[in-house]
């Protein structure tokens, strides 16, 4: 079956612009996660959805970052007034139930570059 | 809080040699431990995970890891390296303490020379 997909694969934008990053999880997975991976670092948690609701958004760095999952499937990560420090690879993952032992399946990521 | 330390940002081995990638975790409650591999321009792929039960866990591609509670370690090993094993490896921990997140280490880049 299809894995987690993310679009676009690359996004270049200018400082101050707004961007949207999209994630299509594995069909039937109720849990969806966003992570950010900076150069030389492991992925860092941003937000976790259980169904349509954000169960944990404690990893969002500030109020310029927002994510939605309106129908419990596709999710969009939105970044307002982008800054150069937002440049990173944004990873999306999904899991079947969100349970702690569940395997999280990762997409290939969106590489965001803010000039 | 939970955290992961991976010793060695880069490890180099010869083809056919033993692979040992080190991971130590910190957690105040029983952990669930994961190893992921990341090939260039690809997403993370699960190699193996420890949840409960047997402390020696076997994964894909001949990798295995052993959970040692007394040493708070979950080192990844493979008896004989293959060129195709060259990639970045991440150890991660998750617990039932209320954290929804996987907490990752900084990763270890494995280089395999002929």
């Amino acid at each position: 079956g299809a894995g987690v997909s993310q679009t676009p694969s690359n996004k270049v934008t200018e400082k101050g612009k707004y961007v949207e990053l999209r994630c299509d999880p594995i069909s039937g997975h109720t849990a969806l996660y966003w992570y950010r991976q900076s150069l030389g670092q492991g992925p860092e948690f941003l937000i976790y959805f259980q169904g349509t609701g954000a169960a944990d958004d404690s990893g969002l760095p500030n109020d310029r970052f927002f994510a939605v999952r309106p129908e419990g499937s596709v999710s969009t990560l939105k970044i307002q007034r982008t800054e150069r420090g937002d440049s990173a690879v944004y990873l999306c993952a999904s899991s079947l139930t969100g349970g702690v032992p569940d395997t999280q399946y990762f997409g290939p990521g969106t590489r965001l570059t803010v000039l | 809080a939970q955290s992961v330390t991976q010793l060695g940002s880069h490890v180099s081995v010869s083809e056919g040699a033993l692979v040992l990638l080190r991971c130590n975790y910190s957690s105040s409650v029983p952990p669930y431990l994961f190893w992921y591999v990341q090939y260039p321009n690809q997403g993370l792929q699960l190699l193996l995970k420890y949840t409960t039960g047997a402390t020696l866990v076997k994964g894909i591609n001949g990798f295995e890891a052993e959970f040692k509670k007394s040493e708070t370690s979950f080192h990844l090993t493979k008896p004989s390296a293959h060129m195709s094993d060259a990639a970045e490896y991440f150890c991660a921990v998750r617990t039932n303490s209320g954290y929804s997140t996987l907490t990752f280490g900084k990763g270890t880049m494995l280089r395999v020379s002929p």
Side-chain angles (χ1 to χ4, degrees):
Chain A
V4 178
S5 61
Q6 294 185 244
T7 54
S9 55
N10 280 283
K11 176 70 177 179
V12 180
T13 191
E14 293 179 345
K15 181 175 178 293
K17 299 290 188 181
Y18 167 83
V19 296
E20 290 189 351
L21 312 180
R22 176 187 167 106
C23 172
D24 277 89
I26 293 172
S27 177
H29 281 193
T30 62
L32 185 146
Y33 308 80
W34 283 98
Y35 293 84
R36 179 168 70 174
Q37 186 175 17
S38 301
L39 196 63
Q41 303 294 317
E44 294 179 315
F45 171 74
L46 295 177
I47 186 169
Y48 158 52
F49 285 92
Q50 184 58 255
T52 61
D56 183 351
D57 64 357
S58 62
L60 294 177
N62 51 59
D63 61 6
R64 295 187 297 105
F65 288 75
F66 189 70
V68 295
R69 194 186 185 200
E71 298 178 357
S73 178
V74 170
S75 176
T76 304
L77 179 65
K78 308 180 181 194
I79 311 174
Q80 299 177 322
R81 304 184 303 281
T82 53
E83 299 178 356
R84 291 194 180 86
D86 298 336
S87 296
V89 176
Y90 289 82
L91 298 170
C92 177
S94 69
S95 72
L96 187 61
T97 67
V100 175
D102 269 10
T103 296
Q104 294 184 22
Y105 296 88
F106 283 80
T110 293
R111 182 175 300 277
L112 175 65
T113 303
V114 182
L115 301 176
Chain B
Q2 57 195 39
S3 65
V4 171
T5 301
Q6 290 185 241
L7 295 175
S9 59
H10 293 83
V11 169
S12 295
V13 300
S14 299
E15 192 172 21
L18 171 72
V19 175
L20 171 60
L21 304 182
R22 299 179 185 275
C23 172
N24 289 88
Y25 68 91
S26 174
S27 172
S28 58
V29 297
Y32 296 88
L33 296 159
F34 304 78
W35 274 100
Y36 280 85
V37 61
Q38 187 174 35
Y39 297 101
N41 300 315
Q42 295 187 27
L44 284 83
Q45 179 184 6
L46 182 73
L47 276 177
L48 50 79
K49 65 180 179 181
Y50 168 78
T51 55
T52 58
T55 56
L56 182 61
V57 180
K58 295 186 184 299
I60 62 172
N61 301 338
F63 285 93
E64 63 183 35
E66 186 171 11
F67 169 59
K68 292 187 177 181
K69 182 179 178 181
S70 61
E71 298 177 8
T72 61
S73 69
F74 192 57
H75 302 330
L76 182 70
T77 61
K78 181 175 180 178
S80 177
H82 192 272
M83 296 294 289
S84 61
D85 295 327
E88 190 153 25
Y89 293 79
F90 293 94
C91 182
V93 63
R94 193 176 182 190
T95 68
N96 276 318
S97 62
Y99 292 100
S100 302
T101 174
L102 269 175
T103 299
F104 285 86
K106 292 187 176 182
T108 297
M109 182 67 72
L110 176 66
R111 296 175 177 146
V112 183
S113 56

